Amino acid sequence: MVLMPEDRKLLEPLSSVVSGALRLLVGLLLISFILSLFDNAVPFWSGADHCVTANSSAASSTATDAMFNTAAGARVSAIPRYCAEDPTDQQRLLGLLSAVPYLAFAAGGLVLLNGMLRAAARDGVYTTQTASRLKVLGWWLLVGSLVAELSHATAETALLATLASDVHLSAETVLRQLTAPYLMVLTGLGLLTFARITRAGAAMREDLEGTV
Amino acid sequence: MPAEADDIHVHLDRLLTDREMTLADLAARVGVTNVNLSILKNGRAKAIRFTTLTSICQVLKCQPGDLLTYCPPSDNSAESS
């Protein structure tokens, strides 16, 4: 297969940005981990947030309105954010579990995207391998975002249950805490569609290679 | 039965021999790479552009039918047996 130099140009500027972001992320994680071994003040494992915003709860009153200097005819709704003053190990763990899903999802997505871009730069953009990698990335975004949000909402609800006396961990409270990742789902569907287009392009490129 | 590229036979080697021309000479005069003409000569081409076909016919002073012939699949199997 003839690899055109223009193929590499087609992948910019995303290729450079993703490569740089991944190196930065790995570098920061490494530095943070090493420093946390020597200095407890450096957050790594202990840096998980033990606060949670109760998305489904809101309160309003004249006192709240006065606190936020509302104009006449306006009302303020306050959404509570609960924090543990002296978090227990269980609360720290739940705080960590609420952050890990999205971190893992983002890191995995970056790694898959970087791998796809590097392979496309090496083997060509319009190849069946690129189409397959795009498909994998699309499924990762589609399914991964839903799994990450569900895990995040479940951990947050569990943490909220330890911080608020009227909240109990149940399917209903998890669903109320959940924020549907519409944009990620749409982007995932878009990538799956684009994978099909790329596969068709690969077939056309193969035909073109046999054209004199 | 779907059409196959193998049913089209290319007689470029015979035409070159008749005109005492090398593949490299033809490639230079037609403006197509040696590699692509070699692909055509060896029957591995999937398609030929009209511009390429026109140039080859101009240089070799031949008709497209001199360069390409269609052999139906039954004739192909008879030839190979």
Side-chain angles (χ1 to χ4, degrees):
Chain A
M1 192 206 72
V2 176
L3 184 64
M4 294 186 286
E6 288 78 17
D7 278 17
R8 289 199 176 87
K9 288 183 194 171
L10 288 174
L11 300 168
E12 294 294 344
L14 186 63
S15 190
S16 300
V17 169
V18 168
S19 177
L22 203 53
R23 283 168 214 252
L24 189 66
L25 181 68
V26 169
L28 285 175
L29 278 173
L30 272 173
I31 291 168
S32 181
F33 176 70
I34 290 167
L35 284 177
S36 70
L37 292 174
F38 299 105
D39 187 355
N40 287 334
V42 174
F44 192 73
W45 301 117
S46 62
D49 197 2
H50 37 267
C51 294
V52 60
T53 304
N55 293 336
S56 55
S57 303
S60 61
S61 66
T62 49
T64 317
D65 294 345
M67 196 186 305
F68 290 101
N69 299 315
T70 51
R75 298 296 303 274
V76 170
S77 286
I79 299 173
R81 182 167 171 80
Y82 297 86
C83 289
E85 285 181 336
D86 188 16
T88 63
D89 288 343
Q90 183 199 15
Q91 286 170 333
R92 284 183 194 278
L93 179 63
L94 287 171
L96 191 67
L97 287 175
S98 74
V100 161
Y102 267 116
L103 270 176
F105 169 68
L110 262 181
V111 167
L112 284 173
L113 180 59
N114 190 53
M116 186 207 73
L117 290 169
R118 286 175 68 150
R122 187 185 62 235
D123 302 328
V125 174
Y126 299 107
T127 59
T128 49
Q129 296 97 309
T130 301
S132 298
R133 284 173 186 264
L134 264 174
K135 193 176 170 182
V136 168
L137 189 57
W139 279 115
W140 177 264
L141 284 183
L142 184 62
V143 176
S145 62
L146 293 170
V147 169
E149 180 57 34
L150 192 61
S151 308
H152 165 77
T154 304
E156 268 203 339
T157 306
L159 179 58
L160 190 60
T162 68
L163 299 171
S165 55
D166 59 342
V167 174
H168 306 283
L169 181 61
S170 67
E172 189 196 342
T173 47
V174 169
L175 281 173
R176 278 195 272 139
Q177 192 67 13
L178 199 136
T179 309
Y182 298 113
L183 193 58
M184 282 294 162
V185 167
L186 273 175
T187 306
L189 288 173
L191 282 180
L192 288 175
T193 306
F194 198 61
R196 286 189 175 195
I197 293 169
T198 304
R199 197 171 289 277
M204 282 193 267
R205 185 195 51 74
E206 282 172 9
D207 275 346
L208 203 60
E209 276 187 348
T211 300
V212 297
Chain B
M1 186 186 292
E4 293 286 344
D6 293 342
D7 298 344
I8 299 292
H9 290 195
V10 180
H11 307 292
L12 187 59
D13 48 354
R14 193 186 67 211
L15 288 170
L16 285 172
T17 307
D18 290 347
R19 283 143 182 82
E20 294 177 357
M21 192 184 290
T22 64
L23 196 70
D25 289 338
L26 182 63
R29 292 170 71 173
V30 165
V32 172
T33 62
N34 239 352
V35 171
N36 276 348
L37 267 193
S38 184
I39 288 170
L40 179 66
K41 184 169 92 78
N42 295 328
R44 288 185 285 122
K46 292 179 186 173
I48 182 167
R49 295 185 179 90
F50 278 150
T51 49
T52 305
L53 186 58
T54 303
S55 297
I56 291 174
C57 289
Q58 273 176 350
V59 171
L60 295 180
K61 294 180 174 47
C62 65
Q63 290 293 320
D66 300 328
L67 181 65
L68 308 166
T69 52
Y70 167 64
C71 292
S74 55
D75 289 2
N76 277 342
S77 56
E79 276 179 14
S80 58
S81 63

